[in-house]
């Protein structure tokens, strides 16, 4: 069976929506807190002795670095990731139902359903964008719309939606996992969920940003850490890595955007006969979701095994069902199954994109499509 391998035989990573590599600066920030007993870097940041206070200082520095990615006038609560942050936020609804867009991540959809509140799905158009003037249901208590879609990369009009949500007397929750450290923060949101591993930080840590004056309760009961809102011992190493990654992303916003825009243009020039799923203009350039009629995705994945790419969300892989996001924007199930997602990152090179895209195109042609 013919394989379309890269020239070096090494894997080219084009799945940055699933996760990103750890930035060297983040690793360097973590190492002092991962060392052995002689350094005391293992100390509990909630202890009152000198070693504990040093660990606590590292946590608070990281909190400031993460907060710099988010709007002013709020506080950062560290969590195990965005899923936990979203679950905690969705239990902050004082009354009424929860409305969310039809292309929200399953972490929002399933957590909203699990909260016990009535739920309402807001439609999206064929461009993968929610209408900023979409009618909101009567009695809504919280509206959840993501900043950047994880499958198709479309950037949603969250600022206007937040305004209209407040006019309706409700809270606005934004899943900013794919946008944090890459775009300006979603102003107007009351609650924002982010995670470190989508912005070149470590896995296992995220944050919930809460606007001043918004009241939420704990999701995890215990020792009362994080001002009583998230019990459990914090990891100074994970916090430090998150903070360093956030600070680096903040300093590289424009440079990263320009780099990814160039990679996207190169990919589109090679894969010119493929159709982009979702808006071609209102999108994050690091995400290309493409389809080609008749494409057999499992065969493409097997033939191009030196390229890490996907058919969509890593959370939904292996189910065999067509992408909920792609069907929500009007694609037929067969069209959704003819689609792939390639995601570029800060460390992706032009040579890697050219090699990978030429291999993908050659493999598709070998299928006769």
């Amino acid at each position: 069976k013919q394989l379309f391998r890269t020239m070096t035989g090494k894997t080219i990573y084009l799945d940055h929506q699933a996760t990103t590599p750890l930035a060297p600066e983040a690793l360097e920030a973590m190492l002092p807190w991962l060392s052995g007993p002689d350094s005391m870097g293992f100390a509990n940041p909630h202890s009152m002795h000198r070693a504990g206070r040093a660990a606590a200082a590292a946590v608070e520095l990281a909190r400031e670095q993460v907060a710099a990615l988010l709007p002013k006038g709020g506080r950062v609560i560290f969590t195990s990731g965005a899923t936990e942050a979203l679950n905690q936020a969705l239990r902050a609804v004082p009354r009424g139902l929860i409305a969310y867009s039809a292309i929200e991540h399953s972490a929002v959809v399933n957590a909203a359903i699990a909260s016990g509140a009535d739920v309402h799905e807001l439609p999206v158009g064929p461009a993968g964008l929610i209408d900023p003037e979409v009618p909101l249901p009567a009695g809504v208590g919280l509206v959840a719309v993501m900043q950047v879609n994880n499958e198709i990369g479309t950037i949603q009009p969250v600022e206007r939606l937040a305004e209209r949500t407040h006019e309706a007397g409700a809270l606005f929750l934004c899943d900013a996992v794919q946008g944090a450290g890459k775009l300006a923060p979603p102003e107007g949101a009351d609650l924002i969920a982010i995670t470190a591993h989508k912005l070149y930080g470590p896995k296992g840590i995220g944050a919930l940003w809460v606007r001043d004056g918004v009241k939420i309760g704990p999701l995890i009961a215990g020792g009362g850490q994080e001002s009583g809102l998230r019990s459990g011992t914090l990891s100074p190493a994970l916090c430090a890595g998150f903070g360093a990654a956030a600070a680096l992303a903040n300093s590289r916003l424009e440079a990263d955007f320009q780099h990814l825009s160039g990679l996207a243009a190169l990919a589109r020039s090679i894969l010119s006969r493929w159709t982009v799923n979702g808006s071609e203009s209102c999108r994050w350039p690091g995400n290309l979701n493409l389809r080609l009629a008749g494409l057999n995705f499992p065969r493409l994945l097997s033939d191009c095994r030196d390229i890490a790419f996907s058919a969509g969300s890593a959370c939904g892989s292996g189910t065999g069902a067509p992408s909920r996001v792609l069907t929500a924007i009007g694609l037929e199930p067969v069209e959704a199954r003819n689609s792939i997602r390639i995601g570029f990152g800060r460390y992706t090179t032009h040579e890697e994109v050219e090699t990978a895209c030429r291999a993908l195109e050659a493999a598709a042609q070998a299928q006769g499509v």
Side-chain angles (χ1 to χ4, degrees):
K1 186 175 182 179
Q2 185 177 10
L3 298 178
F4 298 85
R5 295 194 178 278
T6 63
M7 290 182 292
T8 63
K10 295 181 180 179
T11 297
I12 295 176
Y13 186 75
L14 297 181
D15 198 20
H16 284 77
Q17 278 65 54
T19 194
T20 57
L22 186 66
E25 293 86 347
L27 176 60
E28 183 179 0
M30 295 173 69
L31 289 176
W33 309 104
L34 292 170
S35 53
D38 292 340
S39 71
M40 293 295 175
F42 63 88
N44 189 321
H46 310 292
S47 296
M48 296 305 295
H49 47 65
R50 184 170 63 183
R53 292 197 304 272
V59 169
E60 293 312 308
L61 171 60
R63 197 186 307 275
E64 293 175 4
Q65 292 170 318
V66 172
L69 291 179
L70 298 162
K72 296 186 183 302
R75 54 180 168 161
V76 168
I77 303 165
F78 284 123
T79 66
S80 65
T83 297
E84 181 188 326
L86 289 165
N87 273 265
Q88 186 169 14
L90 286 161
R91 283 164 173 74
V93 186
R95 60 172 180 79
L97 59 78
I98 296 172
Y100 50 78
S101 83
I103 59 172
E104 291 303 299
H105 193 279
S106 57
V108 168
V109 176
N110 292 337
I113 294 170
S115 73
D118 292 333
V119 298
H120 176 86
E121 186 176 274
L122 301 170
V124 295
L129 299 169
I130 187 171
D131 183 348
E133 305 304 321
V134 64
L136 300 179
V140 65
L142 181 144
V143 175
V145 177
M146 65 202 329
Q147 185 180 28
V148 179
N149 185 266
N150 58 299
E151 287 197 36
I152 57 176
T154 49
I155 301 174
Q156 304 301 317
V158 290
E159 285 80 8
R160 175 56 183 156
L161 288 167
E163 289 178 3
R164 296 190 53 245
T165 296
H166 294 152
E167 291 169 0
L171 296 174
F172 187 80
L173 165 64
C174 186
D175 168 359
V177 165
Q178 298 289 340
K182 303 168 187 176
L183 297 171
E187 296 292 342
D190 301 294
L191 300 153
I192 301 172
I194 65 174
T195 194
H197 78 99
K198 300 296 177 78
L199 51 84
Y200 309 95
K203 296 175 181 65
I205 186 166
L208 176 64
W209 178 88
V210 184
R211 183 175 295 283
D212 292 342
V214 174
K215 295 182 179 180
I216 64 169
L219 181 66
I220 298 175
Q225 293 91 338
E226 291 295 90
S227 301
L229 292 175
R230 201 274 181 176
S231 293
T233 302
L234 287 173
S235 164
L238 292 178
C239 291
F242 192 3
L248 181 63
N250 216 4
S251 70
R252 291 187 53 90
L253 277 174
E254 183 59 29
D256 283 351
F257 185 88
Q258 293 301 325
H259 175 61
L260 297 178
S261 295
L263 297 179
L266 174 60
R268 289 296 292 125
S269 70
I270 298 170
L271 304 175
S272 57
R273 68 191 184 102
W274 299 56
T275 300
V276 175
N277 292 324
S279 171
E280 292 204 50
S281 56
C282 295
R283 68 181 308 108
W284 171 245
N287 181 323
L288 274 181
N289 196 298
L290 307 167
R291 72 178 186 273
L292 192 61
L295 183 73
N296 183 315
F297 172 75
R299 178 180 166 184
L300 186 72
L301 191 64
S302 176
D303 287 351
C304 298
R305 62 188 63 172
D306 288 343
I307 306 168
F309 65 103
S310 73
S313 173
C315 303
S317 63
T319 65
S323 163
R324 176 174 54 82
V325 170
L326 295 181
T327 54
I329 66 173
L331 269 62
E332 296 296 329
V334 66
E335 293 178 306
R337 291 191 176 97
N338 292 160
S339 300
I340 68 171
R341 182 187 68 183
I342 53 178
F344 318 117
R346 178 185 298 154
Y347 308 113
T348 309
T349 68
H350 284 75
E351 292 76 15
E352 287 175 325
V353 170
E354 181 171 6
T355 298
C357 289
R358 292 197 185 283
L360 290 169
E361 174 63 18
Q365 289 184 15
Q367 293 186 18
V369 298

